[in-house]
Amino acid sequence: MSNKVCVFGSFNLDIVAGMARFPQPGESLIARTSMMGAGGKGANQAIAALKAGARVHYIGKVGRDDFGQFARRHLDSAGFDAVTLFSTGERPTGNALIYVAGEDAENMIAVDPGANLTVTDQEIDQCRPAIAAADILLTQLENNLSAVTRAIALAREAGTPVILNPAPFQPVPDTLLPQLFLLTPNATECSLLSGVTVTDVPSARQAAEVLHRKGVAALIITLGTQGALLSMNGETTLIPACRATPVDTTGAGDAFNGALAARLAAGATLIQAARFASAYAAVCVERPGAAASMPEYAEALARQQACA
């Protein structure tokens, strides 16, 4: 393994307000805090993979606007092996308005995907060498499905294993599922994909059986504080959640997926990678922000050892 992760996914500019509680319709509340920073599931997961030890090639698309200039500065300074950033003048750079509220630091998010939904097959085809050179392709559903499907097809041609994090949820054709090395839904996304309402570990096992029948080879269903269920080869393993004191849960899923991809690219087994990813996400949620909250490899390793 060359420890290379290729991440195709969204870039958003995040504007975050910390609140005592969520506002009611028509209500104005004074925020406790506010911040602006880099986000988007693709960029967040790329940063997580990088900090978790991988060599990362990030592929995304932004608008030709001030937010797009912000994206370029952020991505150029991140430390990636390579960045392929397409642009359009027809749509704005993706952006997200985020409320974080309450003692559990739950979040409420409104996203304008903007340029993220305009990636063409021709642009993806330009990335064929990067996808072929990677140990893992990690992608999500915050871009147009046609581009995601094309990237997965190129990975299959090259023999590059694909992790699909099906977030934010959009319907995907069942024909896409057998092409994946690993599917990583949360409880809500798993419910929508399988038709089984996932609320706990037993219902997650039922949903996993449905998805395996649809051709999914392996999946990890993240269940928040209940941990994560790994299902493959007819067996399930519950990966315990590491203890955390949440400050902002916005980037938890992205932290998990980026760290998971990094460890798999380094040659770890699925169980080993999932245990590390759980610890990595636990450190992430104790900090504000999304990309800015991703911990270093050593921090997550120390948390994993403390969780054992």
Side-chain angles (χ1 to χ4, degrees), residues 65-276:
D65 51 20
D66 289 345
F67 287 179
Q69 292 302 314
F70 177 95
R72 289 184 187 280
R73 290 194 300 271
H74 167 75
L75 295 167
D76 286 345
S77 65
F80 296 131
D81 262 25
V83 174
T84 301
L85 196 62
F86 299 105
S87 66
T88 177
E90 296 177 5
R91 297 287 296 274
T93 299
N95 57 89
L97 306 177
I98 303 171
Y99 289 136
V100 178
E103 291 182 5
D104 294 332
E106 287 297 331
N107 59 69
M108 187 180 291
I109 306 174
V111 180
D112 176 5
N116 292 308
L117 295 183
T118 69
V119 184
T120 66
D121 283 2
Q122 291 75 20
E123 288 168 336
I124 293 296
D125 286 346
Q126 291 178 45
C127 303
R128 187 188 300 263
I131 293 171
D135 295 305
I136 294 282
L137 171 67
L138 173 60
T139 190
Q140 317 80 30
L141 295 178
E142 207 163 32
N143 294 91
N144 47 303
L145 186 60
S146 58
V148 174
T149 302
R150 183 63 181 160
I152 291 172
L154 293 185
R156 288 279 291 179
E157 286 176 17
T160 302
V162 178
I163 301 174
L164 174 63
N165 175 221
F169 178 80
Q170 58 172 302
V172 296
D174 285 352
T175 53
L176 194 67
L177 300 178
Q179 300 180 48
L180 307 174
F181 165 67
L182 181 64
L183 183 70
T184 60
N186 65 17
T188 301
E189 293 146 8
C190 190
S191 299
L192 292 166
L193 283 165
S194 67
V196 175
T197 301
V198 176
T199 56
D200 53 18
V201 174
S203 56
R205 287 196 177 99
Q206 293 174 17
E209 290 175 8
V210 172
L211 291 171
H212 286 314
R213 288 197 293 270
K214 289 187 175 188
V216 174
L219 74 158
I220 297 176
I221 305 168
T222 54
L223 300 167
T225 56
Q226 297 181 69
L229 185 74
L230 167 60
S231 181
M232 62 182 296
N233 298 328
E235 296 184 2
T236 60
T237 304
L238 182 64
I239 308 297
C242 284
R243 261 194 229 105
T245 305
V247 171
D248 182 353
T249 58
T250 306
D254 295 336
F256 186 94
N257 279 276
L260 182 75
R263 298 317 301 149
L264 289 170
T269 66
L270 267 173
I271 291 178
Q272 291 168 339
R275 291 188 190 282
F276 178 84

